[in-house]
């Protein structure tokens, strides 16, 4: 069967694009190598419990945010429970701070922990930048530019507030801390670095102000829990696509994308499919290997980041029986001296909601744990047990878990991510932000300037469910702009 658009992978960027295209009446087909949709924004079932595959937090439903745009455009509804507060951070010195949604409450909390010196102007500034960034993200859907029409359309949508953001592309978060004389407050610097790592995949000397301020402020927007796990964020989108006449085909690992007369041929281990257009929702490193055309490969190569610049993840899943449910579901725990073998300096743990009977029965909780592994291609983990023990010990010291309540324990290295998702090197979290790569230098949605496009966490704007959702919106915008 010939389709209008074939989409490679069912990550949330691909699903966003597929839903918006299906709404326009195009015949779409999503090819997914796994048996579950959603990629890194999904859940998997093991021994009767639902664990999160990768992402565990959900933002983006507020006004001017991409996920809100998707749901409003399609009428899709997602079952969510708002979390307040969304997170607590356990610092290396033993202090625990709560990331409140209210800016005033958060500033008071930051002043309590880090001291009053310039916390208020710093956070007010970051929040103002983040609001402007979110507004601009949907106003400028032709960004980054890769042809003259992009530039003209972007110019037509320019607002004075957008021009004021330009300076932030040339400043790092380190510059912002210097501006507010916070760079010598080491406890605060460590806090900022570890918060940036889970949102921008890099530290303050590399992350520009636009991404950094937005990343640091994500807890100041509505955060949500999805009963049953993030698979239930994905399922309503999949259902919408199929109701609109689209197809989702599982167990279809794409091996090659070839140009043909009038479109593309996409080959998998089980056969081949034809379409007028194609959208890759897998990372740039994987996408490069799929295209045969030399010009497309050359165009992509200059945007590719090697494993040395990427992060993998060491993940754990716990089932806790008889443990008192935590008041806050998401926690970041700083680890003095770092974890053994991998050196990571923080751990992120997310608990299932105590009333969520879809993920675990009454009296039990599921905990999803992750920590960074730098240069995943090089850092092969031979002994998982020593890392597992250090993580459990760190979480137990903070009172987040008790060993005697652990009913089930499992862990996975970046090698497992290669097996689960097929992502090159087992890299997760997307391409990190780097100061030498300005937003307009990031890879845009066009692959070959003919009919192939790209979305996901390795192209603009980058990480997180909300980021890949925006990338899917932009891919659709450019496809329609080019051909309709």
């Amino acid at each position: 069967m010939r389709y209008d658009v074939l989409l490679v992978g069912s990550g949330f960027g691909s699903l966003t694009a597929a839903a918006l295209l299906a709404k326009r009446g195009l015949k779409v087909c999503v090819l997914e190598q796994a048996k579950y949709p959603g990629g890194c924004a999904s859940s998997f079932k093991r021994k009767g419990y639902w664990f999160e595959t990768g992402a565990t937090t959900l933002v983006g439903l507020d006004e001017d945010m991409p996920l809100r745009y998707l749901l409003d455009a399609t009428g899709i509804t997602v079952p969510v429970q708002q979390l307040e507060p969304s997170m607590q951070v356990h610092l290396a010195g033993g202090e625990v701070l709560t990331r409140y949604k209210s800016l005033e409450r958060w500033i008071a909390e930051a002043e309590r922990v880090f001291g009053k010196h310039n916390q208020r102007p710093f956070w007010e500034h970051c929040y103002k930048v983040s609001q402007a960034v979110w507004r601009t993200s949907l106003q400028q859907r032709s960004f980054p530019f890769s042809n003259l029409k992009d530039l003209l359309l972007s110019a037509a949508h320019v607002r004075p507030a957008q021009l004021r953001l330009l300076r932030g592309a040339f400043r790092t978060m380190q510059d912002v801390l210097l501006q507010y004389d916070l760079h010598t407050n080491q406890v605060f610097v460590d806090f900022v670095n570890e918060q940036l790592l889970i949102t921008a995949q890099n530290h303050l000397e590399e992350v520009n102000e636009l991404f950094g301020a937005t990343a640091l402020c994500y807890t100041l927007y509505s955060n949500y829990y999805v009963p049953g796990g993030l698979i239930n964020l994905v399922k309503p989108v999949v259902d919408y696509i199929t109701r609109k006449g689209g197809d989702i085909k599982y167990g279809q690992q794409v091996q090659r994308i070839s140009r043909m007369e009038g479109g593309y041929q996409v080959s998998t281990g089980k056969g081949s499919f034809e379409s007028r257009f194609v959208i890759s929702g897998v990372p740039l490193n994987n996408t490069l290997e799929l295209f045969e055309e030399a010009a497309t490969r050359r165009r992509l190569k200059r945007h590719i980041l090697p494993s040395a610049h990427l992060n993998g993840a060491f993940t754990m899943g716990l089932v806790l029986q008889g443990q008192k449910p935590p008041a806050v579901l998401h926690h970041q725990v700083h680890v003095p001296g770092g974890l053994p073998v991998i050196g990571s300096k923080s751990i992120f743990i997310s608990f299932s909601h105590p009333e969520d009977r879809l993920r675990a029965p009454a009296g039990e909780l599921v905990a999803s744990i992750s920590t960074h592994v730098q240069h995943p291609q090089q850092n092969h983990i031979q002994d998982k047990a020593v890392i597992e023990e250090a993580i459990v010990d760190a979480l137990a010291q903070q009172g987040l878990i008790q060993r005697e309540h652990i009913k089930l324990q499992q862990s996975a290295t970046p090698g497992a991510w290669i097996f689960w998702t097929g992502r090159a090197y087992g890299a997760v979290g997307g391409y990190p932000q780097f100061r030498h790569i300005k937003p307009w230098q990031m890879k845009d949605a066009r692959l070959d300037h003919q009919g192939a496009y790209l979305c996901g966490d390795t192209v603009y704007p980058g990480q997180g469910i909300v980021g890949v959702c925006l990338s899917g919106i932009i891919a659709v915008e450019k496809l329609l702009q080019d051909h309709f």
Side-chain angles (χ1 to χ4, degrees), residues 23 34 63 133 148 189 198 217 253 258 286 303 307 331 334:
K23 178 179 181 288
E63 188 178 0
V133 167
L148 180 59
V189 169
I198 60 174
C217 289
Q253 185 162 10
S258 308
N286 297 83
H303 295 281
S307 171
H331 298 259
H334 293 201

Side-chain angles (χ1 to χ4, degrees), residues 372-397:
H372 285 79
V373 178
Q374 295 182 337
H375 199 342
Q377 184 184 38
Q378 176 177 288
N379 290 324
H380 297 285
I381 297 170
Q382 303 297 329
D383 186 2
K384 296 194 299 183
V386 66
I387 305 174
E388 290 179 358
E389 179 63 22
I391 289 174
V392 170
D393 186 56
L395 297 176
Q397 285 183 25

Side-chain angles (χ1 to χ4, degrees), residues 249-300:
K249 297 184 180 294
Y250 299 102
Q252 298 280 351
Q253 185 162 10
V254 174
Q255 298 173 340
R256 186 174 66 257
I257 300 173
S258 308
R259 283 282 302 167
M260 57 176 290
E261 185 176 351
Y264 296 85
Q265 183 179 72
V266 178
S267 302
T268 75
K270 297 181 178 180
S272 62
F273 303 83
E274 294 181 0
S275 64
R276 183 180 174 191
F277 307 108
V278 65
I279 298 177
S280 175
V282 299
L284 273 168
N285 303 67
N286 297 83
T287 300
L288 174 67
E289 299 304 316
L290 299 178
F291 277 83
E292 293 183 328
E293 192 176 61
T296 302
R297 292 176 63 85
R298 285 195 302 271
R299 192 177 290 113
L300 285 180

Side-chain angles (χ1 to χ4, degrees), residues 6 17 20 49 74 117 152 214 229 256 283 289 306 330 367 385 418 466:
L6 283 166
L20 294 173
Y49 301 93
T74 58
H117 178 65
L152 294 174
T214 306
R256 186 174 66 257
E289 299 304 316
H330 302 298
I418 297 175
V466 66

Side-chain angles (χ1 to χ4, degrees), residues 130-151:
S130 73
Q131 289 177 307
V133 167
W134 284 124
R135 284 194 299 269
T136 300
S137 68
L138 286 173
Q139 292 168 348
Q140 291 289 358
R141 289 185 297 229
S142 296
F143 186 86
F145 322 126
S146 60
N147 66 20
L148 180 59
K149 192 172 182 180
D150 280 347
L151 190 59

Side-chain angles (χ1 to χ4, degrees), residues 89-141:
V89 181
H90 304 248
L91 301 178
E95 193 76 58
V96 179
L97 70 159
T98 302
R99 299 228 52 185
Y100 296 106
K101 180 184 176 185
S102 162
L103 179 61
E104 284 300 314
R105 289 192 73 186
W106 165 240
I107 289 173
E109 180 76 343
E111 289 179 338
R112 178 185 71 81
V113 175
F114 304 119
K116 288 196 172 184
H117 178 65
N118 280 347
Q119 287 293 319
R120 175 172 292 278
F122 173 82
W123 288 105
E124 288 177 342
H125 170 77
C126 287
Y127 187 53
K128 184 178 180 180
V129 170
S130 73
Q131 289 177 307
V133 167
W134 284 124
R135 284 194 299 269
T136 300
S137 68
L138 286 173
Q139 292 168 348
Q140 291 289 358
R141 289 185 297 229

Side-chain angles (χ1 to χ4, degrees), residues 353-370:
H353 196 284
E355 298 176 3
D356 188 351
R357 298 291 176 265
L358 297 172
R359 294 185 65 189
E364 297 184 355
L365 299 171
V366 172
S368 298
I369 301 163
S370 63

